[in-house]
Amino acid sequence: MVSFAILNYYLRIMDAIINQIENYSNEINLFTAVDTDTLEQFRIRFLGVKGIVKAIMGEMKNVPVEQKKSFGQTLNAFKMLAEAKFEAEKERIESLNVVTGFKIDVSLPGMPIPSGSRHPVTLMRNRIVEIFERLSFTVAEGPEIEDDWHNFTALNLDENHPARDMQDTFYLSTDPAILLRTHTSNVQIREMERSKPPIRIICPGRVYRNETISARSHCFFHQVEGLYIDENVSFADLKQTLYFFVKEMFGEDVKVRFRPSYFPFTEPSAEMDISCMLCKGSGCAVCKRTGWLEILGCGMVHPNVLKNCGIDPEKYTGFAFGMGVERPALLKYGITDIRLFSENDVRFLEQFSGV
Ligand code: PHE
């Protein structure tokens, strides 16, 4: 006779075992063999000499006589489940199509290949550059840490020009003045010093300005500037080049307007607006109800700039233009906060894969 306490103990152990059998049964039901290796792992785990089925069978000796029958049935059903699954999977694996020497079950879901994505600013930069490349512009790059001459002086910005102000420019040292470039015009100067006309370059790159960071502005952003110098280059060439760019970039229906402006390095200077593509010119929050979006600055290269770079302004003329990359990227992708571009949140970046 077993005492009541011991009987109770065995019953609790049996409960736990039955619970385990249920969990293992679930696992067996869900199992699909990917190949013969995974099938063999399954066999060893459940049906092997040291497998789960054997181990649970071993518990039989501890089961009180009264429970032996029903426990035995549960165990048997469990064993049969494991064996049946093994046989079924074995058959399925063996019947698979033989493709390139591997047995592949074409009905299994594929393994996802995680794909990277280009940054939206890179996507926009590439689009801009690619359009100008079709007009025979070539990409030129230059340093982000620059001296005063290439960022300011050679560009006809005199010593008292407000753009040099400490509030706008990040100076790394003041004597001699070394700074983070405030535009990619420094590359144009370097190119004019280095080579002879005709010059037809496009200068993409990162620039820095000491501005308060907000949804609309950042202390660093990206620009693409362009420069074309040759004999007889006129404002008409500038307009035609930019018309082409706008049509390619924003579509045939977009309207363009030039407004007179001022830059020390161009004369005459202009700013170019395009009709707002969101409201089609009727006025919305993005274009501040004007129907127009300002996208770039441009003009005919100032004779002093040519002289500063050793190019004869009597013989050569040229045009230059410069635009930000973030603004058109915001518009194109419907993004409302410029800070998203530099936060590197993968949930944001992932959305541009395959774009
Ligand atoms: N360098 C100017 C800027 O950063 C843009 C520009 C380039 C304007 C060339 C005119 C000509 O704002």
Side-chain angles (χ1 to χ4, degrees):
M1 263 302 276
V2 248
S3 80
F4 182 69
I6 295 180
L7 181 65
N8 223 355
Y9 170 74
Y10 281 136
L11 289 178
R12 259 189 287 127
I13 292 196
M14 274 174 57
D15 258 2
I17 294 175
I18 287 176
N19 218 338
Q20 266 186 345
I21 291 181
E22 254 169 47
N23 289 340
Y24 286 135
S25 301
N26 278 339
E27 185 183 331
I28 292 171
N29 284 329
L30 289 174
F31 174 73
T32 328
V34 183
D35 50 24
T36 45
D37 277 356
T38 46
L39 182 65
E40 180 60 4
Q41 281 161 19
F42 175 87
R43 192 193 61 77
I44 294 171
R45 177 163 162 75
F46 286 101
L47 302 165
V49 197
K50 291 184 181 161
I52 288 166
V53 170
K54 275 259 155 60
I56 296 181
M57 288 286 189
E59 295 292 332
M60 203 52 185
K61 60 180 184 300
N62 299 326
V63 175
V65 193
E66 296 82 354
Q67 320 314 98
K68 269 205 199 304
K69 191 167 169 218
S70 81
F71 187 70
Q73 280 170 351
T74 311
L75 261 185
N76 235 359
F78 176 60
K79 188 177 168 209
M80 276 158 63
L81 178 74
E83 285 172 350
K85 184 68 166 192
F86 174 73
E87 289 304 328
E89 285 300 290
K90 191 169 164 222
E91 206 171 296
R92 194 179 57 80
I93 287 274
E94 280 168 0
S95 69
L96 293 179
N97 292 335
V98 180
V99 183
T100 63
F102 296 100
K103 288 194 169 174
I104 295 170
D105 181 354
V106 289
S107 66
L108 284 178
M111 305 259 207
I113 301 168
S115 64
S117 55
R118 288 204 195 286
H119 194 282
V121 168
T122 308
L123 289 170
M124 185 47 72
R125 167 208 182 273
N126 290 352
R127 281 184 57 151
I128 298 172
V129 166
E130 186 254 322
I131 294 171
F132 285 104
E133 278 177 343
R134 275 189 265 150
L135 293 173
S136 299
F137 282 80
T138 53
V139 170
E141 284 177 339
E144 291 179 22
I145 296 174
E146 192 50 284
D147 54 33
D148 178 276
W149 170 257
H150 291 95
N151 195 78
F152 290 133
T153 309
L155 284 154
N156 204 30
L157 270 99
D158 64 52
E159 248 169 65
N160 301 316
H161 196 280
R164 292 181 179 228
D165 201 309
M166 290 293 264
Q167 281 164 9
D168 271 324
T169 308
F170 287 115
Y171 282 91
L172 302 180
S173 80
T174 41
D175 194 18
I178 303 293
L179 45 92
L180 296 178
R181 67 177 176 194
T182 57
H183 45 195
T184 59
S185 306
N186 67 325
V187 185
Q188 310 187 356
I189 297 297
R190 287 179 176 276
E191 204 60 26
M192 284 190 276
E193 285 175 340
R194 206 175 60 80
S195 58
K196 293 200 167 6
I199 296 172
R200 200 177 346 210
I201 52 165
I202 194 96
C203 315
R206 182 177 282 188
V207 303
Y208 303 82
R209 288 182 201 174
N210 194 354
E211 279 175 27
T212 312
I213 298 171
S214 71
R216 298 186 63 85
S217 66
H218 211 293
C219 61
F220 66 81
F221 54 98
H222 297 77
Q223 274 192 333
V224 177
E225 293 208 357
L227 174 73
Y228 177 34
I229 311 236
D230 203 349
E231 289 178 40
N232 301 319
V233 176
S234 71
F235 204 92
D237 298 314
L238 167 62
K239 283 172 84 174
Q240 200 52 47
T241 304
L242 294 179
Y243 281 153
F244 176 79
F245 167 71
V246 167
K247 302 284 168 201
E248 292 295 304
M249 185 76 186
F250 302 104
E252 286 292 327
D253 309 334
V254 173
K255 292 196 199 67
V256 172
R257 79 174 179 190
F258 287 86
R259 279 178 292 109
S261 184
Y262 171 77
F263 299 104
F265 30 88
T266 46
E267 180 60 36
S269 304
E271 258 162 288
M272 191 180 84
D273 301 341
I274 56 169
S275 56
C276 178
M277 56 271 237
L278 297 173
C279 62
K280 306 260 178 284
S282 61
C284 67
V286 174
C287 61
K288 298 202 193 101
R289 318 253 159 247
T290 62
W292 294 97
L293 297 165
E294 181 191 318
I295 62 157
L296 59 78
C298 58
M300 301 306 292
V301 180
H302 198 290
N304 288 351
V305 176
L306 295 176
K307 254 186 267 170
N308 287 339
C309 301
I311 294 174
D312 181 1
E314 299 296 328
K315 186 165 177 211
Y316 294 105
T317 50
F319 66 73
F321 57 87
M323 69 186 97
V325 178
E326 274 79 354
R327 176 87 70 84
L330 291 175
L331 290 169
K332 165 127 183 73
Y333 300 119
I335 301 163
T336 49
D337 192 326
I338 202 170
R339 290 169 292 197
L340 283 164
F341 288 140
S342 49
E343 280 168 357
N344 275 340
D345 186 331
V346 283
R347 291 168 301 180
F348 171 73
L349 298 173
E350 267 171 2
Q351 298 176 47
F352 300 92
S353 69
V355 175

